[in-house]
Amino acid sequence: MIDLSCTYLGLQLKSPVIAASSGFTDTVQKIVQLEKHGAGAVVLKSIFEEEITHEYDKTLRDEAENTGREEFLDYLDVRIRQENLTKYLKLIQDAKAAVSIPVIASINCQSSFEWTSFAREIEKAGADALELNVFILPSNLNISDGETEKLYFEIVKFVKEKVNIPIVLKISFYFSNLGQVIRDLSFSGIKGLVLFNRFYSPDFDIDSLEVSSANVLSYPGEISMPLRWIGMMSGRVGCDLSASTGVADGKSAIKLLLAGASTVQLASALYRHGIGYMEVVHQELRDWMEQHGFNRIDDFRGKLSQSRYENPSVFERVQFMKYFSDKEAI
Ligand SMILES: Cc1cc2nc3c(=O)[nH]c(=O)nc-3n(C[C@H](O)[C@H](O)[C@H](O)COP(=O)(O)O)c2cc1C
């Protein structure tokens, strides 16, 4: 009998395949459907730091100024902010009442300050854990690498002071010493690291000569980054690792579990195929486990991680030379 149950962040999950933070996790109806189709947990659509802090919405400010209604500005700003936050807390409460799978709240943040008190409200609303999508593109030429990294540790420290629920950090791979950062963050008091978040990249429209945005959805080949890094870091970190980016089907989920992921997160695959695709991924996972005689996730989780693989150097192979020297001339 195949048993997909596992633990993640100290929580008991029915399955390691979970719904990533996205437009598929922003209403109770969709969350109920995700549970129905087998998702082990859901990560709610993020609330943004700017929605929590007192930043003014430019459009509203311009509008109020143009119509000579500046006196309403503060009221308007506070009201909208309050409505967003209340809505988010209600989503947590309603989702918790409607499903039995863990509900992980999510905040999209770039700094370590004012918004952190909202984390406490999230905990009070009943969230099982809090995922922090730390969204910093290291493009500021006036800030050193060390300063950007420091921010991650500060964010963890601030939020840890506010909540007792497990904290998960979702990070990108833009670090100069990624392995060390993953290891150090994993021992900073968090319970999980999501490898990796995914920035939208710019693209160029060569007809209109404008900058547009490229590939909102990931393509399956993008699994290689989380696969390499989860494979290399699994067994060497102090927290769970969850895989995000490129989990396109059952096969990619299996690979990431073999690398040592505790959970794998789906976003683009749901946009491409719909919520029912959760079941397809689960079926592929079950079929594969049956074929290979694995009854439980822990029977194979981490089996191909660098620390357990007989030839660990394959993870470190970065040059094409060896690949081509092994093949006929191409
Ligand atoms: C339309 C869309 C909305 C997303 N919204 C969020 C979000 O609010 N917070 C977040 O942390 N990640 C968000 N993500 C990123 C996903 O959670 C995920 O990390 C990323 O898409 C890579 O996974 P994938 O290859 O399964 O798409 C979003 C992704 C998409 C495509």
Side-chain angles (χ1 to χ4, degrees):
M1 178 70 181
I2 302 291
D3 176 8
L4 297 185
S5 67
C6 61
T7 55
Y8 176 52
L9 317 173
L11 304 166
Q12 198 59 39
L13 268 55
K14 284 184 205 147
S15 157
V17 183
I18 72 177
S21 177
S22 80
F24 277 94
T25 57
D26 64 353
T27 67
V28 176
Q29 290 83 343
K30 287 181 237 176
I31 292 166
V32 167
Q33 285 304 306
L34 283 163
E35 178 181 51
K36 203 174 128 210
H37 290 290
V42 290
V43 185
L44 299 184
K45 174 109 185 91
S46 303
I47 187 155
F48 283 71
E49 174 183 325
E50 297 87 329
E51 294 177 81
I52 303 169
T53 55
H54 285 273
E55 278 210 2
Y56 281 30
D57 181 297
K58 187 168 178 325
T59 322
L60 289 171
R61 186 178 52 204
D62 289 350
E63 205 174 285
E65 277 167 5
N66 290 340
T67 52
R69 299 170 71 211
E70 290 96 328
E71 72 274 17
F72 290 119
L73 213 53
D74 285 352
Y75 167 73
L76 205 59
D77 177 57
V78 170
R79 211 198 66 204
I80 287 171
R81 195 170 68 92
Q82 215 43 58
E83 271 175 14
N84 276 341
L85 302 191
T86 309
K87 235 167 92 183
Y88 199 73
L89 297 177
K90 187 160 168 11
L91 175 63
I92 297 171
Q93 284 161 352
D94 292 350
K96 281 298 296 172
V99 295
S100 61
I101 54 175
V103 173
I104 301 169
S106 166
I107 298 178
N108 200 319
C109 52
Q110 316 180 17
S111 71
S112 55
F113 309 108
E114 196 183 338
W115 60 270
T116 52
S117 35
F118 187 62
R120 192 173 286 146
E121 302 300 316
I122 283 179
E123 178 172 46
K124 276 199 237 152
D128 294 288
L130 175 59
E131 188 175 288
L132 302 171
N133 183 358
V134 188
F135 220 77
I136 306 169
L137 184 70
S139 56
N140 187 334
L141 303 185
N142 300 315
I143 294 179
S144 73
D145 211 28
E147 277 174 83
T148 310
E149 279 172 19
K150 214 170 111 198
L151 207 50
Y152 286 76
F153 290 89
E154 272 177 19
I155 288 173
V156 172
K157 182 172 165 288
F158 274 77
V159 179
K160 262 187 71 65
E161 281 166 11
K162 301 283 189 321
V163 298
N164 295 313
I165 50 174
I167 298 168
V168 191
L169 220 53
K170 184 177 187 180
I171 62 169
S172 74
F173 43 77
Y174 293 109
F175 292 95
S176 58
N177 192 348
L178 182 56
Q180 193 180 58
V181 169
I182 290 173
R183 190 204 54 205
D184 291 352
L185 281 172
S186 81
F187 287 104
S188 67
I190 57 176
K191 290 276 189 261
L193 266 170
V194 183
L195 308 181
F196 295 102
N197 67 19
R198 184 173 180 274
F199 298 121
Y200 294 160
S201 296
D203 195 3
F204 291 170
D205 184 323
I206 58 168
D207 293 319
S208 67
L209 297 185
E210 281 173 357
V211 178
S212 55
S213 94
N215 48 33
V216 173
L217 303 183
S218 68
Y219 57 91
E222 289 181 56
I223 188 194
S224 56
M225 281 302 271
L227 191 67
R228 176 194 287 273
W229 286 97
I230 290 175
M232 291 206 305
M233 298 313 293
S234 166
R236 301 190 165 108
V237 285
C239 72
D240 291 338
L241 298 176
S242 179
S244 176
T245 297
V247 189
D249 50 21
K251 262 195 197 122
S252 45
I254 294 161
K255 288 180 188 180
L256 289 157
L257 292 167
L258 281 166
S262 294
T263 53
V264 297
Q265 306 199 5
L266 263 69
S268 293
L270 299 178
Y271 280 96
R272 286 212 168 89
H273 309 289
I275 290 179
Y277 193 63
M278 267 286 170
E279 276 186 36
V280 177
V281 175
H282 277 87
Q283 198 50 52
E284 280 182 76
L285 174 57
R286 269 193 217 97
D287 289 348
W288 177 85
M289 285 173 68
E290 209 165 287
Q291 277 163 24
H292 289 265
F294 297 128
N295 294 322
R296 298 172 48 82
I297 297 292
D298 275 343
D299 292 346
F300 68 94
R301 203 176 65 77
K303 204 173 165 58
L304 294 186
S305 60
Q306 190 180 30
S307 57
R308 287 174 56 191
Y309 193 56
E310 66 218 16
N311 182 8
S313 65
V314 290
F315 283 88
E316 314 265 354
R317 190 175 293 158
V318 286
Q319 302 288 4
F320 289 105
M321 211 155 53
K322 172 90 175 77
Y323 176 84
F324 287 120
S325 66
D326 286 351
K327 310 247 157 205
E328 294 293 309
I330 292 174

